[in-house]
Amino acid sequence: MKFNPKSKTASNFLIIGSFILVSLILWNTNSFFKTFKEEERLKMEIWATAQSEFLQSSENVELGNLHLRVFQNNTSTPMILINKDSSIRVNNIPKEKVTDSVFIQKKLHEFQRENTPISVDQQGEHLATLYYGNSEVLNKLKYYPIALLLIIFLFGAVIYFLFKTNKSSEQNKLWAGMAKETAHQIGTPLSSLLGWNELLKMEQINPDITKEIEKDIARLETITNRFSKIGSLPKLDQMDIVKETEKAYEYLKRRSSKLIHFSFSSKIETLPVLLNSSLYNWTIENLVKNGIDAMRGKGTIAIEIIPNGKFVKILVADTGSGILKTNFTTIFNPGVTTKQRGWGLGLSLVKRIVEEYHNGKIKVLSSGKEGTIMQISLKVAK
């Protein structure tokens, strides 16, 4: 598939710009987290200093309101203070957990992982050790970058989905418009050919010539009918999948090179499927012609019909050069082709006919040096 260089450059700039923007946001959030964490530690160090003065003070000495304000203002940071006599004091921890020694030990290990403990000293004497964890605000801030990345990812996914849907809609309109215009353009000379052929019959020209012209006219009418159905929902009738597949097979066999060996097999004699005959035959023709191109006009084309419960599988195999595994899905995209002069529309049309019009599935079943097998799966009519 060929891409517009300007479009590709714009996409690259958009990706790079988005990456830089996300990196700046994450860096700024990380800096804010570190600053907030440093401020919390400073607050804990002030609390530890006030605690050391409180522990060393005499009962008769009035410390004033400053120490009281320091102790009272800490309402968010959980802490455990272990005095030198091994007594424990806790703050901002549920009261029912204070007597739970297992819980306290678990919290001590958790606080040590989150923050370095603060030693409470006074004049060289060790009085206590303060263990503290992250406040609820700091814990929430820790997950903020993840939430931000998730929001950015979801926003990008929505934009991509809308862009892809809009692009697909534009392509569908273009396809339908081109198909209907083609059918319209063929219709005018086709009417003239019908008239000229009738005049030739009146002139008593060799009947074999007029019969061949009639066959070509009928073929053109079939092509016109096919193109006219693109862009509108075709009518599906209950038809025999074996008979319709064999009809397309016989047509291609008669008009292909003698160097192509054709084979047709079916594990059933008849099976009803909802089909649009014209479009289904077009599908088989496209797959067979692609196989012939892949074999460069020499090899074997095999068509096989296999019932599979509520579905029927139609396999079209060739002995061509094969398709790279990485192209198994992209080969059905409009504009993708392995041919030097191809437009990349055949398999795209096939996929649309099978999946959108017949509610079936088509895929590359296997491909390698021995050739390629394409598989169509359709529902059996009830």
PDB file of all heavy atoms in Angstrom, residues 191-205 210 213-214 217:
ATOM      1  N   SER A 191     -26.139  -1.217 -24.323  1.00  0.00           N
ATOM      2  CA  SER A 191     -27.417  -1.097 -25.044  1.00  0.00           C
ATOM      3  C   SER A 191     -27.191  -1.002 -26.541  1.00  0.00           C
ATOM      4  O   SER A 191     -27.938  -1.597 -27.342  1.00  0.00           O
ATOM      5  CB  SER A 191     -28.177   0.138 -24.553  1.00  0.00           C
ATOM      6  OG  SER A 191     -28.454   0.038 -23.169  1.00  0.00           O
ATOM      7  N   SER A 192     -26.169  -0.256 -26.925  1.00  0.00           N
ATOM      8  CA  SER A 192     -25.839  -0.125 -28.355  1.00  0.00           C
ATOM      9  C   SER A 192     -25.412  -1.468 -28.946  1.00  0.00           C
ATOM     10  O   SER A 192     -25.798  -1.820 -30.078  1.00  0.00           O
ATOM     11  CB  SER A 192     -24.716   0.897 -28.553  1.00  0.00           C
ATOM     12  OG  SER A 192     -25.139   2.173 -28.117  1.00  0.00           O
ATOM     13  N   LEU A 193     -24.619  -2.237 -28.175  1.00  0.00           N
ATOM     14  CA  LEU A 193     -24.159  -3.538 -28.662  1.00  0.00           C
ATOM     15  C   LEU A 193     -25.331  -4.485 -28.892  1.00  0.00           C
ATOM     16  O   LEU A 193     -25.334  -5.271 -29.851  1.00  0.00           O
ATOM     17  CB  LEU A 193     -23.177  -4.161 -27.648  1.00  0.00           C
ATOM     18  CG  LEU A 193     -21.776  -3.543 -27.608  1.00  0.00           C
ATOM     19  CD1 LEU A 193     -20.965  -4.136 -26.456  1.00  0.00           C
ATOM     20  CD2 LEU A 193     -21.047  -3.787 -28.927  1.00  0.00           C
ATOM     21  N   LEU A 194     -26.317  -4.411 -27.988  1.00  0.00           N
ATOM     22  CA  LEU A 194     -27.513  -5.252 -28.169  1.00  0.00           C
ATOM     23  C   LEU A 194     -28.209  -4.916 -29.483  1.00  0.00           C
ATOM     24  O   LEU A 194     -28.632  -5.798 -30.247  1.00  0.00           O
ATOM     25  CB  LEU A 194     -28.475  -5.049 -26.988  1.00  0.00           C
ATOM     26  CG  LEU A 194     -28.072  -5.713 -25.667  1.00  0.00           C
ATOM     27  CD1 LEU A 194     -28.925  -5.188 -24.517  1.00  0.00           C
ATOM     28  CD2 LEU A 194     -28.232  -7.230 -25.782  1.00  0.00           C
ATOM     29  N   GLY A 195     -28.332  -3.622 -29.775  1.00  0.00           N
ATOM     30  CA  GLY A 195     -28.970  -3.169 -31.016  1.00  0.00           C
ATOM     31  C   GLY A 195     -28.179  -3.586 -32.235  1.00  0.00           C
ATOM     32  O   GLY A 195     -28.758  -4.090 -33.236  1.00  0.00           O
ATOM     33  N   TRP A 196     -26.856  -3.400 -32.188  1.00  0.00           N
ATOM     34  CA  TRP A 196     -26.011  -3.767 -33.326  1.00  0.00           C
ATOM     35  C   TRP A 196     -26.055  -5.276 -33.584  1.00  0.00           C
ATOM     36  O   TRP A 196     -26.031  -5.729 -34.746  1.00  0.00           O
ATOM     37  CB  TRP A 196     -24.567  -3.333 -33.078  1.00  0.00           C
ATOM     38  CG  TRP A 196     -24.334  -1.869 -33.280  1.00  0.00           C
ATOM     39  CD1 TRP A 196     -24.053  -0.936 -32.337  1.00  0.00           C
ATOM     40  CD2 TRP A 196     -24.383  -1.185 -34.522  1.00  0.00           C
ATOM     41  NE1 TRP A 196     -23.923   0.300 -32.899  1.00  0.00           N
ATOM     42  CE2 TRP A 196     -24.113   0.187 -34.252  1.00  0.00           C
ATOM     43  CE3 TRP A 196     -24.643  -1.560 -35.858  1.00  0.00           C
ATOM     44  CZ2 TRP A 196     -24.094   1.164 -35.241  1.00  0.00           C
ATOM     45  CZ3 TRP A 196     -24.602  -0.578 -36.843  1.00  0.00           C
ATOM     46  CH2 TRP A 196     -24.344   0.757 -36.525  1.00  0.00           C
ATOM     47  N   ASN A 197     -26.126  -6.055 -32.516  1.00  0.00           N
ATOM     48  CA  ASN A 197     -26.178  -7.512 -32.687  1.00  0.00           C
ATOM     49  C   ASN A 197     -27.472  -7.948 -33.367  1.00  0.00           C
ATOM     50  O   ASN A 197     -27.481  -8.875 -34.196  1.00  0.00           O
ATOM     51  CB  ASN A 197     -26.042  -8.201 -31.324  1.00  0.00           C
ATOM     52  CG  ASN A 197     -25.723  -9.671 -31.453  1.00  0.00           C
ATOM     53  OD1 ASN A 197     -24.851 -10.062 -32.230  1.00  0.00           O
ATOM     54  ND2 ASN A 197     -26.440 -10.515 -30.706  1.00  0.00           N
ATOM     55  N   GLU A 198     -28.580  -7.266 -33.049  1.00  0.00           N
ATOM     56  CA  GLU A 198     -29.855  -7.574 -33.698  1.00  0.00           C
ATOM     57  C   GLU A 198     -29.792  -7.232 -35.184  1.00  0.00           C
ATOM     58  O   GLU A 198     -30.329  -7.964 -36.036  1.00  0.00           O
ATOM     59  CB  GLU A 198     -30.989  -6.803 -33.015  1.00  0.00           C
ATOM     60  CG  GLU A 198     -31.312  -7.286 -31.601  1.00  0.00           C
ATOM     61  CD  GLU A 198     -31.739  -8.744 -31.571  1.00  0.00           C
ATOM     62  OE1 GLU A 198     -32.480  -9.185 -32.487  1.00  0.00           O
ATOM     63  OE2 GLU A 198     -31.296  -9.471 -30.653  1.00  0.00           O
ATOM     64  N   LEU A 199     -29.126  -6.114 -35.497  1.00  0.00           N
ATOM     65  CA  LEU A 199     -28.959  -5.729 -36.917  1.00  0.00           C
ATOM     66  C   LEU A 199     -28.122  -6.762 -37.670  1.00  0.00           C
ATOM     67  O   LEU A 199     -28.398  -7.077 -38.834  1.00  0.00           O
ATOM     68  CB  LEU A 199     -28.305  -4.350 -37.007  1.00  0.00           C
ATOM     69  CG  LEU A 199     -29.185  -3.160 -36.625  1.00  0.00           C
ATOM     70  CD1 LEU A 199     -28.371  -1.874 -36.619  1.00  0.00           C
ATOM     71  CD2 LEU A 199     -30.354  -3.017 -37.628  1.00  0.00           C
ATOM     72  N   LEU A 200     -27.076  -7.283 -37.000  1.00  0.00           N
ATOM     73  CA  LEU A 200     -26.242  -8.304 -37.640  1.00  0.00           C
ATOM     74  C   LEU A 200     -27.040  -9.567 -37.940  1.00  0.00           C
ATOM     75  O   LEU A 200     -26.835 -10.237 -38.963  1.00  0.00           O
ATOM     76  CB  LEU A 200     -25.045  -8.638 -36.742  1.00  0.00           C
ATOM     77  CG  LEU A 200     -23.966  -7.562 -36.626  1.00  0.00           C
ATOM     78  CD1 LEU A 200     -22.920  -7.963 -35.591  1.00  0.00           C
ATOM     79  CD2 LEU A 200     -23.286  -7.326 -37.980  1.00  0.00           C
ATOM     80  N   LYS A 201     -27.947  -9.907 -37.024  1.00  0.00           N
ATOM     81  CA  LYS A 201     -28.800 -11.088 -37.260  1.00  0.00           C
ATOM     82  C   LYS A 201     -29.683 -10.886 -38.481  1.00  0.00           C
ATOM     83  O   LYS A 201     -29.900 -11.807 -39.278  1.00  0.00           O
ATOM     84  CB  LYS A 201     -29.663 -11.353 -36.032  1.00  0.00           C
ATOM     85  CG  LYS A 201     -28.916 -11.897 -34.836  1.00  0.00           C
ATOM     86  CD  LYS A 201     -29.873 -12.118 -33.666  1.00  0.00           C
ATOM     87  CE  LYS A 201     -29.152 -12.638 -32.432  1.00  0.00           C
ATOM     88  NZ  LYS A 201     -30.073 -12.826 -31.289  1.00  0.00           N
ATOM     89  N   MET A 202     -30.188  -9.653 -38.645  1.00  0.00           N
ATOM     90  CA  MET A 202     -31.046  -9.349 -39.790  1.00  0.00           C
ATOM     91  C   MET A 202     -30.266  -9.399 -41.092  1.00  0.00           C
ATOM     92  O   MET A 202     -30.830  -9.667 -42.165  1.00  0.00           O
ATOM     93  CB  MET A 202     -31.686  -7.972 -39.603  1.00  0.00           C
ATOM     94  CG  MET A 202     -32.677  -7.924 -38.437  1.00  0.00           C
ATOM     95  SD  MET A 202     -33.232  -6.244 -38.071  1.00  0.00           S
ATOM     96  CE  MET A 202     -34.061  -5.813 -39.604  1.00  0.00           C
ATOM     97  N   GLU A 203     -28.967  -9.143 -41.021  1.00  0.00           N
ATOM     98  CA  GLU A 203     -28.122  -9.168 -42.216  1.00  0.00           C
ATOM     99  C   GLU A 203     -27.682 -10.585 -42.562  1.00  0.00           C
ATOM    100  O   GLU A 203     -26.879 -10.791 -43.474  1.00  0.00           O
ATOM    101  CB  GLU A 203     -26.892  -8.291 -42.001  1.00  0.00           C
ATOM    102  CG  GLU A 203     -27.183  -6.812 -41.869  1.00  0.00           C
ATOM    103  CD  GLU A 203     -27.695  -6.226 -43.179  1.00  0.00           C
ATOM    104  OE1 GLU A 203     -27.315  -6.730 -44.262  1.00  0.00           O
ATOM    105  OE2 GLU A 203     -28.477  -5.258 -43.114  1.00  0.00           O
ATOM    106  N   GLN A 204     -28.207 -11.553 -41.802  1.00  0.00           N
ATOM    107  CA  GLN A 204     -27.909 -12.964 -42.026  1.00  0.00           C
ATOM    108  C   GLN A 204     -26.414 -13.270 -41.977  1.00  0.00           C
ATOM    109  O   GLN A 204     -25.855 -14.017 -42.782  1.00  0.00           O
ATOM    110  CB  GLN A 204     -28.502 -13.423 -43.368  1.00  0.00           C
ATOM    111  CG  GLN A 204     -30.011 -13.338 -43.415  1.00  0.00           C
ATOM    112  CD  GLN A 204     -30.593 -13.863 -44.720  1.00  0.00           C
ATOM    113  OE1 GLN A 204     -29.845 -14.142 -45.674  1.00  0.00           O
ATOM    114  NE2 GLN A 204     -31.908 -14.000 -44.771  1.00  0.00           N
ATOM    115  N   ILE A 205     -25.761 -12.641 -40.962  1.00  0.00           N
ATOM    116  CA  ILE A 205     -24.348 -12.941 -40.698  1.00  0.00           C
ATOM    117  C   ILE A 205     -24.258 -14.345 -40.100  1.00  0.00           C
ATOM    118  O   ILE A 205     -25.212 -14.860 -39.533  1.00  0.00           O
ATOM    119  CB  ILE A 205     -23.765 -11.894 -39.721  1.00  0.00           C
ATOM    120  CG1 ILE A 205     -23.866 -10.493 -40.338  1.00  0.00           C
ATOM    121  CG2 ILE A 205     -22.316 -12.195 -39.347  1.00  0.00           C
ATOM    122  CD1 ILE A 205     -23.011 -10.303 -41.560  1.00  0.00           C
ATOM    123  N   THR A 210     -22.757 -14.182 -34.175  1.00  0.00           N
ATOM    124  CA  THR A 210     -23.721 -13.466 -33.324  1.00  0.00           C
ATOM    125  C   THR A 210     -23.918 -14.162 -31.977  1.00  0.00           C
ATOM    126  O   THR A 210     -24.154 -13.506 -30.950  1.00  0.00           O
ATOM    127  CB  THR A 210     -25.076 -13.331 -34.044  1.00  0.00           C
ATOM    128  OG1 THR A 210     -25.532 -14.634 -34.452  1.00  0.00           O
ATOM    129  CG2 THR A 210     -24.961 -12.423 -35.262  1.00  0.00           C
ATOM    130  N   ILE A 213     -21.071 -13.091 -29.848  1.00  0.00           N
ATOM    131  CA  ILE A 213     -21.294 -11.705 -29.416  1.00  0.00           C
ATOM    132  C   ILE A 213     -22.316 -11.672 -28.277  1.00  0.00           C
ATOM    133  O   ILE A 213     -22.163 -10.925 -27.300  1.00  0.00           O
ATOM    134  CB  ILE A 213     -21.756 -10.831 -30.596  1.00  0.00           C
ATOM    135  CG1 ILE A 213     -20.632 -10.672 -31.619  1.00  0.00           C
ATOM    136  CG2 ILE A 213     -22.215  -9.453 -30.109  1.00  0.00           C
ATOM    137  CD1 ILE A 213     -21.043  -9.961 -32.891  1.00  0.00           C
ATOM    138  N   GLU A 214     -23.346 -12.509 -28.388  1.00  0.00           N
ATOM    139  CA  GLU A 214     -24.369 -12.576 -27.336  1.00  0.00           C
ATOM    140  C   GLU A 214     -23.760 -13.041 -26.000  1.00  0.00           C
ATOM    141  O   GLU A 214     -24.141 -12.559 -24.932  1.00  0.00           O
ATOM    142  CB  GLU A 214     -25.492 -13.523 -27.768  1.00  0.00           C
ATOM    143  CG  GLU A 214     -26.444 -12.900 -28.781  1.00  0.00           C
ATOM    144  CD  GLU A 214     -27.510 -13.884 -29.244  1.00  0.00           C
ATOM    145  OE1 GLU A 214     -27.397 -15.083 -28.878  1.00  0.00           O
ATOM    146  OE2 GLU A 214     -28.441 -13.463 -29.949  1.00  0.00           O
ATOM    147  N   ILE A 217     -21.939 -10.109 -24.598  1.00  0.00           N
ATOM    148  CA  ILE A 217     -22.913  -9.132 -24.093  1.00  0.00           C
ATOM    149  C   ILE A 217     -23.482  -9.596 -22.755  1.00  0.00           C
ATOM    150  O   ILE A 217     -23.632  -8.808 -21.810  1.00  0.00           O
ATOM    151  CB  ILE A 217     -24.040  -8.910 -25.123  1.00  0.00           C
ATOM    152  CG1 ILE A 217     -23.498  -8.155 -26.347  1.00  0.00           C
ATOM    153  CG2 ILE A 217     -25.192  -8.130 -24.498  1.00  0.00           C
ATOM    154  CD1 ILE A 217     -24.491  -8.046 -27.498  1.00  0.00           C
TER     155      ILE A 217
END
